[in-house]
Amino acid sequence: MISNKIIRNTFLALFLMTFSMYSQNKEENKVVEDIIKEANENSQLESLAHHLLDVIGPRLVGTPQMKQANDWVVDTYDDWGISAENEQWGEWKAWERGITHVDMVSPRVQSLEGMQLAWSPSTPQEGITAEVIAIPRIKDSLDFVKWLPNVKGKFVLTSMKQITGRPDENWEEFATETSYERMKQQRDSLTKEWLQNIARTGYGRRGIIKAFEDAGAAGILSSYWSKGFGVNRIFSSRTENIPTLDIEMEDYTMLYRLAESGNAPTLKVVAQSKDLGVVPTFNTIGKIEGKELPNEYVILSAHLDSWDGATGATDNGTGTILMMEVMRILKKVYPNPKRTILVGHWGSEEQGLNGSRAFVEDHPEIVEHVQAVFNQDNGTGRVIEISGAGYLNAYDYISRWMYPVPREIKDQIKTDFPGSPSSGGSDNASFVAAGVPAFYLSALDWSYRKYTWHTNRDTYDKIVFDDVRSNVILTAIMAYMASEDPNLASREKIVLPIDPRTGEQKIWPEQRSPKRRGGLDD
């Protein structure tokens, strides 16, 4: 027979357990409510975006603006009472963009839209005035060698001529089916002929640039159209002494038509830039130290650098301000986290995930004890997909961490468990390669690939702040829940499937070292 004392003690234990769980749930609910309230009623997203994008501007690695952004993030965190520092991981070719003016002065006068590519050599102060020449149909490499001296002193058109500046969806909406199909066939034929013509020169698309420079060309003109109205992608120059410029598709095709028809256009180009030698390059790391488990970590992740055709608003200004706002809110409503919360604003993601790869390589003591990494890097849209990244038990802990997220946010998110490991694309891949549960918060497209990804139109006005604010709430709650989780997340990986292309079993991505001397050892 059970004694009254045992019964009393059992009831007391159950009461204390129930009370403890009630108190814990009440505290959890209070933090979640405070996160939502702060994000909605005191958002700093607009002011953060204005300073980062309008005041500082593009953040090409190795430029003064990139270092200015690093310092601004540190100072902002300091104002919020968050510890932060710039951590050097390498050095880079230093360069600063100046003004670019492109004017056609013959056969008529017109100012054109274009800009020098990143790391392009400068023109003389007075600029360069020269004729524009297109590559003719080449029979073979000997024929190309005979023609090559014609480029001396001229601007050379090195991209194919597009036959339409209308996006395909515009054709689909308005053209007849016959007209649309004829356009696509003509474009495919011209693309094939362009590639074959370059191949007949004996050079690849990169090697031919050096051939033009060695032959005395005045400059290189290209146009990397992204197949949207008025949008070009802006990357880097491959010349050593002459300027390389991207010309918007509409103006570029006009120049091409004029050159082909015998009405050779003449341009005056002033493209100022500065070669600043070599500079250190940094990751900016912020920290809210954990009180119970300070040597275990939840990491918020977003790259700070950008290409510089515009101001890098959706790649990755939105990811940057998202993670900054999450840190601000957590510091205010959850100042004593269980685990340490780190934020990594990585450098040189655009040249190969270099900043995050360096962090993973340089901090094995942190990497070994990471609970989770939450990374965002594909535009301004609300998060609509989270994958388990190939971790067998990701469903268990991701589901727990998402549980308190408001239904109107959570219901829009498709989950994929266990998913598969990312081998590249963004900084989460640097951590996944080291066996860390790192999750990519994949966002709604908002025409990202066509209109803002690495383009001349990636500017503040493309941000949808309501969506970014939704992502702040999601990320802050998941970071809080991951910090408070009584268990460290399992790192058990799935058995990867057979690769249908090779017939071999796929292997987990391998950890790779960063490039630590950018533009210097190439």
Side-chain angles (χ1 to χ4, degrees):
M1 186 172 181
I2 302 174
S3 70
N4 289 334
K5 184 176 180 181
I6 292 174
I7 293 172
R8 284 197 303 271
N9 288 342
T10 301
F11 275 118
L12 179 61
L14 288 171
F15 172 77
L16 292 174
M17 185 184 302
T18 303
F19 181 77
S20 175
M21 290 176 62
Y22 170 78
S23 299
Q24 183 178 345
N25 289 338
K26 187 176 180 181
E27 182 179 347
E28 178 181 298
N29 291 338
K30 177 68 164 60
V31 173
V32 169
E33 289 170 4
D34 287 347
I35 287 171
I36 297 169
K37 181 181 175 66
E38 181 67 17
N40 285 328
E41 297 183 9
N42 191 32
S43 174
Q44 303 297 302
L45 291 171
E46 287 88 346
S47 61
L48 292 172
H50 168 64
H51 195 95
L52 180 66
L53 306 174
D54 295 339
V55 178
I56 296 174
R59 301 162 303 285
L60 182 72
V61 60
T63 61
Q65 291 73 30
M66 180 62 191
K67 182 56 168 60
Q68 188 180 350
N70 289 126
D71 293 341
W72 169 73
V73 174
V74 170
D75 291 344
T76 303
Y77 281 142
D78 183 63
D79 289 343
W80 295 339
I82 296 171
S83 170
E85 63 178 354
N86 291 326
E87 182 178 279
Q88 183 179 348
W89 55 266
E91 52 189 15
W92 214 266
K93 179 180 179 179
W95 181 84
E96 185 172 20
R97 177 182 294 281
I99 62 168
T100 300
H101 288 302
V102 184
D103 298 305
M104 183 171 71
V105 295
S106 174
R108 57 187 176 80
V109 174
Q110 180 180 331
S111 292
L112 309 183
E113 184 174 341
M115 66 177 68
Q116 59 191 312
L117 296 184
W119 300 295
S120 170
S122 179
T123 64
Q125 194 73 26
E126 67 277 9
I128 297 173
T129 301
E131 186 180 308
V132 174
I133 189 171
I135 306 169
R137 191 179 191 282
I138 300 296
K139 296 178 183 177
D140 52 34
S141 59
L142 291 177
D143 189 35
F144 179 70
V145 169
K146 291 178 182 177
W147 174 81
L148 189 57
N150 288 288
V151 308
K152 186 172 183 180
K154 297 183 176 70
F155 288 112
V156 186
L157 297 164
T158 60
S159 300
M160 70 171 281
K161 177 185 66 176
Q162 299 290 340
I163 61 169
T164 178
R166 293 184 178 276
D168 279 8
E169 61 267 24
N170 198 242
W171 279 85
E172 288 181 290
E173 182 178 359
F174 295 110
T176 65
E177 185 176 344
T178 301
S179 178
Y180 181 37
E181 289 303 317
R182 184 184 296 119
M183 182 279 293
K184 289 196 295 183
Q185 289 171 9
Q186 184 182 3
R187 184 175 61 192
D188 290 346
S189 175
L190 290 172
T191 301
K192 182 178 179 181
E193 169 56 27
W194 170 266
L195 295 174
Q196 290 175 342
N197 197 46
I198 295 297
R200 288 193 294 266
T201 69
Y203 290 92
R205 284 180 289 178
R206 293 183 178 182
I208 201 169
I209 301 300
K210 187 175 189 312
F212 292 144
E213 183 170 17
D214 291 345
I220 301 297
L221 305 180
S222 64
S223 186
Y224 189 170
W225 185 46
S226 74
K227 298 181 172 58
F229 281 120
V231 185
N232 276 24
R233 295 201 170 113
I234 309 297
F235 290 112
S236 58
S237 166
R238 298 189 178 277
T239 53
E240 295 180 5
N241 300 299
I242 62 174
T244 302
L245 296 100
D246 181 273
I247 307 296
E248 80 162 354
M249 190 277 292
E250 290 83 353
D251 288 340
Y252 183 88
T253 54
M254 177 190 67
L255 294 174
Y256 210 114
R257 291 190 298 271
L258 287 168
E260 278 186 318
S261 67
N263 296 290
T266 299
L267 299 185
K268 179 178 181 181
V269 173
V270 177
Q272 296 297 311
S273 58
K274 296 178 183 177
D275 184 336
L276 301 176
V278 180
V279 295
T281 187
F282 303 91
N283 292 322
T284 299
I285 309 298
K287 178 171 71 173
I288 305 173
E289 187 155 358
K291 301 306 177 185
E292 267 187 62
L293 299 169
N295 295 321
E296 293 183 10
Y297 304 89
V298 174
I299 298 181
L300 306 174
S301 169
H303 71 87
L304 182 57
D305 67 303
S306 74
W307 284 104
D308 72 334
T311 57
T314 68
D315 187 18
N316 188 28
T318 45
T320 298
I321 64 172
L322 160 63
M323 297 308 174
M324 292 181 73
E325 177 78 340
V326 169
M327 287 293 283
R328 182 189 71 81
I329 291 173
L330 291 177
K331 178 64 177 178
K332 183 172 182 177
V333 308
Y334 181 54
N336 299 305
K338 182 174 183 176
R339 293 177 172 87
T340 295
I341 298 175
L342 293 180
V343 61
H345 297 283
W346 316 116
S348 188
E349 185 270 354
E350 298 293 3
Q351 289 72 41
L353 315 185
N354 292 304
S356 57
R357 282 178 174 165
F359 183 86
V360 169
E361 187 170 88
D362 295 344
H363 293 286
E365 78 288 355
I366 292 177
V367 169
E368 185 181 354
H369 300 289
V370 173
Q371 169 80 313
V373 177
F374 301 108
N375 182 70
Q376 213 287 312
D377 180 24
N378 71 319
T380 187
R382 57 194 177 276
V383 172
I384 57 169
E385 185 172 359
I386 300 176
S387 165
Y391 291 98
L392 185 62
N393 301 298
Y395 172 81
D396 295 333
Y397 45 85
I398 290 286
S399 297
R400 288 198 303 273
W401 302 341
M402 287 184 67
Y403 180 76
V405 173
R407 184 162 298 280
E408 63 270 20
I409 295 174
K410 189 165 49 180
D411 283 353
Q412 299 182 61
I413 300 173
K414 174 186 174 184
T415 53
D416 176 23
F417 297 115
S420 58
S422 173
S423 59
S426 192
D427 296 296
N428 53 297
S430 301
F431 291 90
V432 167
V436 176
F439 305 105
Y440 188 68
L441 307 180
S442 184
L444 190 66
D445 186 74
W446 280 96
S447 299
Y448 172 71
R449 286 286 168 181
K450 181 170 290 185
Y451 280 100
T452 61
W453 181 67
H454 300 164
T455 75
N456 57 331
R457 298 290 183 257
D458 190 12
T459 46
Y460 178 102
D461 52 285
K462 309 306 187 304
I463 298 176
V464 181
F465 285 103
D466 283 345
D467 278 12
V468 181
R469 191 156 41 247
S470 170
N471 296 344
V472 167
I473 293 169
L474 169 70
T475 308
I477 292 174
M478 291 186 72
Y480 162 64
M481 293 296 290
S483 173
E484 285 294 308
D485 198 314
N487 302 311
L488 196 61
S490 167
R491 296 189 173 196
E492 187 175 355
K493 302 168 185 173
I494 61 170
V495 176
L496 295 176
I498 300 297
D499 188 333
R501 293 176 301 173
T502 65
E504 302 290 331
Q505 186 176 359
K506 293 181 180 180
I507 60 172
W508 198 265
E510 294 183 1
Q511 186 176 339
R512 296 175 60 183
S513 291
K515 180 187 290 186
R516 295 188 187 261
R517 285 178 52 81
L520 304 173
D521 298 329
D522 296 343

